[in-house]
Amino acid sequence: MVRLLVILSRSLPLVIALAILAVAIYFFVSWRHSPTRAKEMLIKVFLVVCSAIAVFFALASIYAILDNNVPVLELAASCAVVGAVGLIITLICRHFFKKHHPHYKKPTNAKATPVSNKPDMLSAITRILNYINDHRQR
């Protein structure tokens, strides 16, 4: 049990860096926008950051296993665990954030469509042909 705590304590600088990043993002976005927007941004940023950390250190762990390098395996595995736990915590926070702020839920089938003021070539040709068809002599 003590050995596990020693191994996990090696990833303490990563945990401290993530905590400092979270505090900085939250205070800056709260100052610029609102606390709700800060929480939303924090969730988005931490989904990306924790996913990247978990994947990168999982791949490093696999490489350390193949290379039979136990010290690197212990460090990489503990950092991968920190990334995975951070990702799980972020997903739980996102669930509760969307539960308490339902207006942030976007429909899954909503897609953006570009809107242009100038007509495209097909609609111009269609309009011309419709105009000719409407005004031709019968």
Side-chain angles (χ1 to χ4, degrees):
M1 183 67 182
V2 175
R3 179 173 162 81
L4 181 64
L5 289 175
V6 170
I7 292 172
L8 288 177
S9 70
R10 291 181 184 164
S11 61
L12 194 59
L14 179 63
V15 174
I16 292 170
L18 288 174
I20 291 171
L21 178 68
V23 169
I25 290 173
Y26 183 78
F27 282 125
F28 180 75
V29 177
S30 291
W31 172 66
R32 294 283 295 161
H33 297 284
S34 69
T36 305
R37 177 75 175 144
K39 291 173 190 173
E40 179 191 10
M41 286 299 298
L42 205 57
I43 288 170
K44 286 180 181 179
V45 168
F46 267 73
L47 276 175
V48 173
V49 169
C50 289
S51 298
I53 288 172
V55 168
F56 176 76
F57 284 111
L59 290 174
S61 298
I62 292 170
Y63 182 73
I65 289 172
L66 295 176
D67 201 27
N68 291 329
N69 195 344
V70 177
V72 173
L73 174 63
E74 290 175 353
L75 179 63
S78 65
C79 290
V81 167
V82 167
V85 169
L87 187 61
I88 291 169
I89 290 170
T90 305
L91 292 173
I92 291 169
C93 291
R94 183 177 72 172
H95 169 74
F96 283 109
F97 178 78
K98 287 189 175 184
K99 182 178 179 183
H100 294 296
H101 300 93
H103 58 281
Y104 278 97
K105 290 182 183 177
K106 294 182 181 174
T108 56
N109 58 356
K111 292 186 178 179
T113 56
V115 177
S116 175
N117 291 339
K118 50 186 174 180
D120 59 339
M121 192 63 157
L122 184 61
S123 65
I125 293 172
T126 305
R127 266 193 257 134
I128 291 170
L129 290 176
N130 286 339
Y131 180 78
I132 293 171
N133 190 31
D134 290 342
H135 292 90
R136 72 178 183 180
Q137 293 179 358
R138 298 186 195 255

